[in-house]
Amino acid sequence: MLDRRLLLALMACATALPFRSARALEMANFVAVNQKIAQQHIATRHATFAASCSGLSITLVAFTAGRAELYAARQSFHAAMDAWQAVQHIRFGPSQIDARQFRVQFWPDSRNRIGRQLGEILISEREDLISKPDALAQASIAIQGLPALERLLFEIDIAPGEYAGMLAAAIGDNLLRIAQDLEAEWAPGSAWSQGLYEPGSSSVAYPAPSQASAALLLSLVTQLNVIASAKLREPMGQSAERARPRLSESWRSERSIRNIAINLDALSDLFSGGDGHFANLLIQSGNETLAADLQERLRGCAQIMQGMPASLEVLATDLSLRIPALDVADVIDISRQAVEQQVAPALGLTLGFNSLDGD
Amino acid sequence: MASCPSWAAFNGSCVYGTWQDGEGRFHLGDIRGLTDIPLPGRGHDIAVSPNGDLAVVFARRPGRFLLTFNPATGEHDDPQWCPVDRHLFGHGVFSHDGAVLFVTENDFETGEGRIAVLDPRDRFRRIDDISSHGVGPHDLLGWPNSDLILVANGGIHTHPETGREKLNLSTMESSLVLLDPRDGNSISSAVLPDALQRLSLRHLDISSNGTVVVGGQWEGENGWPTPLVGVWDGSQPLTLVDAFSPANLAMAGYVGSVALNTAGTTIAATSPVSGVITLWDRESLQARGSTFLPDVCGLCADPDGPDFMVSTGLGMVHKLDGQTAHILESRSHTVDQRLWDNHLVGVA
C-alpha cells in the first residue's frame, strides 16, 4: 500500500539542509565506522549472496534432474536476485576484479546482446558450457549471470533434461563461484576488508581512513544516481504513453521495483544501519538534523517502494502509482545532492576529486 | 604501502603535475615535493619544450591562463591570460623546433575546434590559428621527427555560457586528425564506427616510431561496454581493445589519461571513475594487468625506466611496474593534502 502521508512528508523536507563544517572528527571516528560497514554491511551481505547462490545452484541442478519444479527454480532465482540487489552498490575492489559485477549481472543490455548470444548457444548447444566447470566463466559475460538465467527461467519454456536446463544449472554454478569469491575477499579479516579500516594496510590504496569513508559514501551517491535515472526515470519515460518498461532492470521476472526497494533498504543500512554508520559520524560532527532528515528520507523511500507493485510495468502506466514513483525519484535525487553537498563537507570528506570531475 | 620505501628511484626523474590543497587552492609542482608553484585556477596538462628548458601549464577547460616554468629549476613566471573571447581546452604542445606552441581552443560562435599557434618568445602572442578539423579538440601532440601535429577531437560541443555542459551528444563525432600546421591541411584522420558514435576520443600519447595510443570516454548508454583504448599508426583505421575484456570493463566507460612506456611496448590507461589502472600489450592489445587505485588519473611513463608513474586525488603518487601494474613505490601527500589532478608529465 502506498503511504501518501509519508511521501508528502519526504517531499516537504526535501530542501537544502544546512550543515556545520566538521567539528573535527578524529581518525578513530572514521576507522570505527569503516570497520562496522566492512564487517556488518559488506561482509554480511556478501555472505548472504553466496548462501542464496548456493541455494540457487542446488535447486537448478535438481530441476535439471527432474527433482524440482520450475516454480522452485524461479523462487531460488528471486532469492539470489534479492541478495544481489542488496550488494549491487558495492562496485569497487573485489566486486570490480575479473569483471565480477558484469558477470553476475550484465545490465543494462540496451542492444540485446544477451538475447542474441543466448539464442546462438541454445541453437548450437555448445557442449563445453555445460560439461566443463570453468567454460562458462571464460565465455561472454552476457550469458554468465542473472539476466541470462532470468531469460531461461521466465521467458523460455525450459524443461528438465534439456540443454537449456543444463545451461541454467551451469549459470547457477558460475554464480555460486563468483559469489563465494566475493564472500571470501570481503570477509572480516580479509585484506580488502581490513584495507578499509586499517590505515596503511597493504592491499587497498586508501592512505587515510577518512578516504575509505569517502569511497563508501561515494557508493551511496552512485547507487542513488543509478536508481533515480537508469532504474526509474528511463523506463518510466516522459509520459505514461511513452513509458518503456522493457528498459527496466528485471521486467521478465516482474521485479524491477522490488529491486529498487531492496537497493534503497541497503543504502539506508549503509547510511544509518547497525549502530549508526554515517548518521553517527554526522551526529559526532554536530549535524544531528542533517543525519535525522537524510535517514528519514532513505528509509521512507525504501518503505514507499516496498509498498508498490513489484513490476515497473504497472507503475509506468497507472497514474495513481506513476506520479508517486516519480516523486520518489525526486526525493532520491535530492538525497543524493544532500550527500554530495552537505554530508560530505560536513564530515570533511572529498568525494572523488578526479572521479566526479574529470576531463 | 605498509612501509614507505626509499625515494631513490624517484630522485632521478622529474615528473610534474597539478593539485588542489586542503583549502581549495591550486598548485603546480613535482612529485618529489621540491617545487610548489601557486596557480590562479585549476590547471590541466603541461607542455615541455623540445630542449626541456621551458614548460607551460594550461588552465583547465574552459580556462584562460597559462604559466611558464623551468622544469629543471622550478623557476616560474607570472601567469598570462589569453584574450577574453578565447578559452583554453587544457592541452598544448610545442612544435618540433620549439619555435611555436600549439594549444587547443574552441570557436564558440561556429562550434569549430581551433588550434591556436602562439609565439613562446613573445609572451605567447597569437600568431595564427588553424582548424582542428573537428569539434571539441582536447589533447594534441607532435608527430615524431616531423612538423606535423596530431589532435584528438573529442566531438563534444561546449559553450562558455554553459561551461562544461555537453550540447551535441546525439550528433557528436570524434576523430583523430594528423595535420600540417604550416597550411592547416589534414593529412589523414581516423574516425569511429557508427556503433561507437558516442565515444569521445580525448587523450593521446605517442611512441618515438609513431604509434599513437588514444583513450576515450563513453557518452552513450550508461553501462554499455565500449572499447576505451586504441592504437593508430597515422594511416590505417583505429585498432581498439576488446570492449568485453575484463580490464576494459573495469574502466567503467571512462579513461582519464593514457601513456606508452618509454620503450613503446606497453600501454597504460587510468580510470578515475572506477579507480583502476590497466596495462595493455601494444602489439596484441591484450590486457597485461590492472591495479585498483582509488581516484587515480594522472599518468606518465617513468622518464628513467620501463615503468609508469601515477597520481591520485587521494594524495598518492605511485611508481607501477610496467609489466604487471604492481605498485613498486609510493609516496603519500596526505598530511599536506595534495589532491593530484588529471595529468602527470615526465621530463627526461
Side-chain angles (χ1 to χ4, degrees), chain A residues 250-264:
Chain A
S250 301
W251 63 269
R252 291 179 178 82
S253 50
E254 299 180 336
R255 51 164 298 145
S256 299
I257 297 299
R258 175 163 155 185
N259 292 353
I260 293 171
I262 294 168
N263 297 152
L264 288 166

Side-chain angles (χ1 to χ4, degrees), chain B residues 14 35 61 70 74 99-100 109 111 144 150 168 187 209 241 293 332:
Chain B
C14 192
T35 46
R61 179 177 67 95
N70 182 330
V100 295
E109 294 311 318
L150 177 80
N168 68 328
I187 307 291
N209 64 356
V241 301
L293 288 174
S332 163

Side-chain angles (χ1 to χ4, degrees), chain A residues 3-331:
Chain A
D3 185 341
R4 283 175 199 283
R5 261 203 299 193
L6 174 59
L7 182 56
L8 282 173
L10 296 179
M11 299 290 288
C13 77
T15 50
L17 297 164
F19 70 91
R20 291 185 226 173
S21 51
R23 179 192 295 161
L25 290 168
E26 305 282 327
M27 189 198 273
N29 297 126
F30 292 110
V31 168
V33 166
N34 295 350
Q35 183 164 8
K36 284 188 174 137
I37 290 175
Q39 295 178 348
Q40 291 163 15
H41 182 83
I42 300 180
T44 311
R45 285 161 182 267
H46 280 94
T48 304
F49 179 51
S52 65
C53 284
S54 173
L56 173 67
S57 178
I58 292 166
T59 311
L60 290 172
V61 169
F63 171 76
T64 310
R67 288 186 280 106
E69 300 293 322
L70 181 59
Y71 174 80
R74 286 178 172 176
Q75 287 307 110
S76 65
F77 168 87
H78 280 304
M81 186 58 112
D82 283 352
W84 171 248
Q85 293 295 332
V87 295
Q88 191 190 47
H89 58 290
I90 303 298
R91 296 170 200 270
F92 59 94
S95 309
Q96 186 191 63
I97 292 169
D98 294 335
R100 283 174 185 152
Q101 279 261 342
F102 289 90
R103 289 164 63 210
V104 171
Q105 188 193 21
F106 182 56
W107 184 81
D109 180 19
S110 48
R111 304 186 188 189
N112 193 29
R113 193 178 175 93
I114 300 173
R116 277 185 284 115
Q117 295 195 340
L118 202 56
E120 284 166 20
I121 287 164
L122 291 178
I123 289 168
S124 70
E125 300 201 344
R126 252 182 77 179
E127 177 62 25
D128 63 322
L129 294 180
I130 57 167
S131 58
K132 288 191 191 153
D134 277 335
L136 194 63
Q138 306 299 325
S140 162
I141 53 164
I143 58 155
Q144 288 196 30
L146 290 165
L149 186 58
E150 182 194 32
R151 286 172 188 253
L152 292 173
L153 294 178
F154 294 87
E155 197 170 50
I156 299 166
D157 202 12
I158 67 169
E162 291 176 353
Y163 181 85
M166 288 183 255
L167 183 62
I171 293 174
D173 180 58
N174 184 54
L175 282 165
L176 175 58
R177 287 156 187 262
I178 298 170
Q180 285 173 336
D181 287 345
L182 283 170
E183 181 187 22
E185 288 171 42
W186 279 125
S190 68
W192 283 101
S193 181
Q194 285 188 343
L196 291 175
Y197 57 83
E198 282 189 2
S201 128
S202 58
S203 79
V204 181
Y206 299 110
S210 61
Q211 294 173 330
S213 302
L216 293 166
L217 204 54
L218 192 56
S219 299
L220 174 63
V221 167
T222 305
Q223 184 76 337
L224 286 174
N225 193 33
V226 169
I227 296 169
S229 59
K231 294 195 178 197
L232 266 174
R233 288 213 174 85
E234 282 183 34
M236 298 288 276
Q238 294 290 326
S239 63
E241 294 75 34
R242 290 164 70 187
R244 296 191 292 170
R246 291 194 170 189
L247 291 183
S248 69
E249 193 177 13
S250 301
W251 63 269
R252 291 179 178 82
S253 50
E254 299 180 336
R255 51 164 298 145
S256 299
I257 297 299
R258 175 163 155 185
N259 292 353
I260 293 171
I262 294 168
N263 297 152
L264 288 166
D265 183 64
L267 296 183
S268 173
D269 183 63
L270 174 60
F271 180 71
S272 58
D275 50 9
H277 295 176
F278 285 105
N280 244 359
L281 279 182
L282 281 170
I283 292 165
Q284 286 159 4
S285 74
N287 291 279
E288 292 83 358
T289 316
L290 182 57
D293 280 9
L294 201 54
Q295 180 172 338
E296 186 187 344
R297 279 189 223 164
L298 292 173
R299 276 190 194 160
C301 285
Q303 199 180 323
I304 289 171
M305 296 315 269
Q306 280 158 10
M308 295 264 191
S311 165
L312 184 134
E313 205 140 10
V314 187
L315 262 67
T317 49
D318 179 344
L319 287 185
S320 72
L321 296 170
R322 179 183 170 84
I323 292 167
L326 289 174
D327 286 343
V328 169
D330 288 344
V331 177

Side-chain angles (χ1 to χ4, degrees), chain A residues 92-93 96 98-99 102 106-113 116 140-142 192 200-208 211 226 229-230 350 352-359, chain B residues 1-2 20 42 44 60-61 138 164 195 202-203 217-218 221-225 244 246 249-250 254 272-274 292-295 297 312-314 316 334 339-342:
Chain A
F92 59 94
Q96 186 191 63
D98 294 335
F102 289 90
F106 182 56
W107 184 81
D109 180 19
S110 48
R111 304 186 188 189
N112 193 29
R113 193 178 175 93
R116 277 185 284 115
S140 162
I141 53 164
W192 283 101
S201 128
S202 58
S203 79
V204 181
Y206 299 110
Q211 294 173 330
V226 169
S229 59
T350 303
F353 180 62
N354 288 300
S355 67
L356 292 183
D357 194 12
D359 194 3
Chain B
M1 240 179 308
Q20 178 183 311
R42 191 163 173 186
H44 197 61
R60 187 171 198 255
R61 179 177 67 95
H138 197 64
R164 297 163 64 84
R202 302 185 74 74
H203 291 107
Q217 298 171 7
W218 178 240
E221 316 93 294
N222 213 351
W224 180 256
F244 286 81
L249 292 170
Y254 191 102
V273 169
S274 52
F292 175 68
L293 288 174
D295 213 50
C297 198
T312 79
L314 306 189
M316 298 299 294
T334 49
L339 311 183
W340 289 97
D341 216 313
N342 297 167

Side-chain angles (χ1 to χ4, degrees), chain B residues 31-324:
Chain B
I31 58 171
R32 290 170 293 172
L34 300 178
T35 46
D36 180 347
I37 302 168
L39 295 177
R42 191 163 173 186
H44 197 61
D45 200 13
I46 296 161
V48 183
S49 67
N51 64 11
D53 63 2
L54 179 65
V56 183
V57 60
F58 302 97
R60 187 171 198 255
R61 179 177 67 95
R64 284 183 43 239
F65 74 86
L66 49 81
L67 182 142
T68 58
F69 65 103
N70 182 330
T73 64
E75 290 167 24
H76 64 97
D77 299 316
D78 290 335
Q80 301 178 49
W81 299 84
C82 51
V84 288
D85 61 341
R86 291 287 176 167
H87 287 82
L88 296 171
F89 272 12
H91 290 269
V93 68
F94 280 91
S95 61
H96 184 51
D97 58 6
V100 295
L101 177 72
F102 303 104
V103 296
T104 45
E105 290 188 342
N106 190 20
D107 181 336
F108 47 79
E109 294 311 318
T110 64
E112 184 191 31
R114 304 297 295 181
I115 297 170
V117 186
L118 312 179
D119 182 357
R121 287 163 303 197
D122 187 9
R123 295 192 58 78
F124 295 92
R125 181 177 59 84
R126 179 177 302 263
I127 303 168
D128 194 6
D129 72 314
I130 55 180
S131 171
S132 77
H133 300 272
V135 171
H138 197 64
D139 204 354
L140 81 172
L141 41 77
W143 197 264
N145 308 310
S146 84
D147 291 319
L148 305 180
I149 55 175
L150 177 80
V151 59
N153 288 301
I156 299 169
H157 182 41
T158 53
H159 194 283
E161 278 177 14
T162 45
R164 297 163 64 84
E165 191 181 332
K166 298 157 185 168
L167 303 173
N168 68 328
L169 292 182
S170 60
T171 59
M172 64 176 276
E173 189 176 278
S174 187
S175 62
L176 300 184
V177 176
L178 182 61
L179 56 85
D180 188 335
R182 290 164 296 198
D183 55 16
N185 286 340
S186 162
I187 307 291
S188 64
S189 64
V191 294
L192 293 163
D194 288 347
L196 301 179
Q197 180 256 330
R198 291 209 183 190
L199 183 61
S200 180
L201 302 172
R202 302 185 74 74
H203 291 107
L204 301 167
D205 197 8
I206 193 165
S207 67
S208 54
N209 64 356
T211 292
V212 177
V213 52
V214 58
Q217 298 171 7
W218 178 240
E219 300 286 347
E221 316 93 294
N222 213 351
W224 180 256
T226 309
L228 302 170
V229 173
V231 294
W232 192 45
D233 66 357
S235 57
Q236 300 295 310
L238 267 177
T239 313
L240 299 162
V241 301
D242 175 10
F244 286 81
S245 62
N248 188 68
L249 292 170
M251 296 190 288
Y254 191 102
V255 164
S257 287
V258 288
L260 279 153
N261 63 350
T262 46
T265 52
T266 304
I267 299 165
T270 53
S271 171
V273 169
S274 52
V276 70
I277 177 166
T278 61
L279 298 191
W280 304 81
D281 183 83
R282 133 91 185 83
E283 288 296 330
S284 67
L285 288 187
Q286 296 295 305
R288 280 195 163 159
S290 63
T291 292
F292 175 68
L293 288 174
D295 213 50
V296 67
C297 198
L299 166 70
C300 68
D302 176 6
D304 295 330
D307 304 314
F308 291 101
M309 313 301 296
V310 295
S311 61
T312 79
L314 306 189
M316 298 299 294
V317 180
H318 306 282
K319 180 173 178 163
L320 300 183
D321 187 300
Q323 294 296 310
T324 62

